[in-house]
Each structure stands twice: as structure tokens, then as C-alpha cells.
Amino acid sequence: IEQANSPGGWYGYVRVIDVAVNPKSLVAHIRKMPKFQTSAKKLDALLELHRAHAVHGVVLQEEKVVGVVSERGLVSQLFQPPQAVAV
């Protein structure tokens, strides 16, 4: 979800299941996304997502939105099993 006065200024998301269960109050279902600079370490971003009880975060380069990061994506990148080395 983008802020009305700031095109490209993402600040939250809505889970489909929340709206399906209670479709009357869309605003009540908005989950705010923490913001991270592109220089942030993956582990720090994951910890902040956990602290904020968020599944997604916004990635910024200075003040410009350049992407979205997910808890699942960070976990898979941080905790991948070692790759086999061909001999």
C-alpha cells in the first residue's frame, strides 16, 4: 500500500486471508512494513522484521523505494545448506 501523498512511498501491506475473514474494515488490516536501506545487513533486517512482527519490509536507496524484502527470502538466504563442491 502506498501513501496517498507520496507516490512510491510504500508503507504497508494487507493479507488476503485477513480481508477474507473480515472484509468490512480494510484499513484495520494494514500491516506496516519496516524500512531498510540497501546497505543493511540481512541478519539485521531479519531481526527488525521479527521485532516489528512483519513479514515484509521496504528496501530504500536513500529515500527511493527500490524493492521489498520478505522474511522467508532472508531466512532462505541466511540459512542455506552448504553447496557440494565438485572434485
Side-chain angles (χ1 to χ4, degrees), residues 7-76:
W10 302 351
Y11 77 96
Y13 63 97
V14 176
R15 294 185 330 160
V16 174
I17 188 68
D18 293 337
V19 176
V21 171
N22 183 5
K24 294 182 181 179
S25 178
L26 184 60
V27 174
H29 297 303
I30 295 174
R31 295 170 180 249
K32 292 186 180 178
M33 294 191 294
K35 296 179 180 180
F36 305 101
Q37 291 296 321
T38 54
S39 60
K41 292 180 169 62
K42 292 176 184 177
L43 184 56
D44 292 338
L46 182 60
L47 290 171
E48 182 57 32
L49 286 174
H50 279 281
R51 271 186 277 233
H53 303 286
V55 178
H56 301 286
V58 179
V59 180
L60 304 170
Q61 188 166 8
E62 296 180 17
E63 294 299 317
K64 182 181 178 190
V65 175
V66 294
V68 176
V69 65
S70 72
E71 177 185 39
R72 179 181 282 177
L74 288 171
V75 168
S76 69

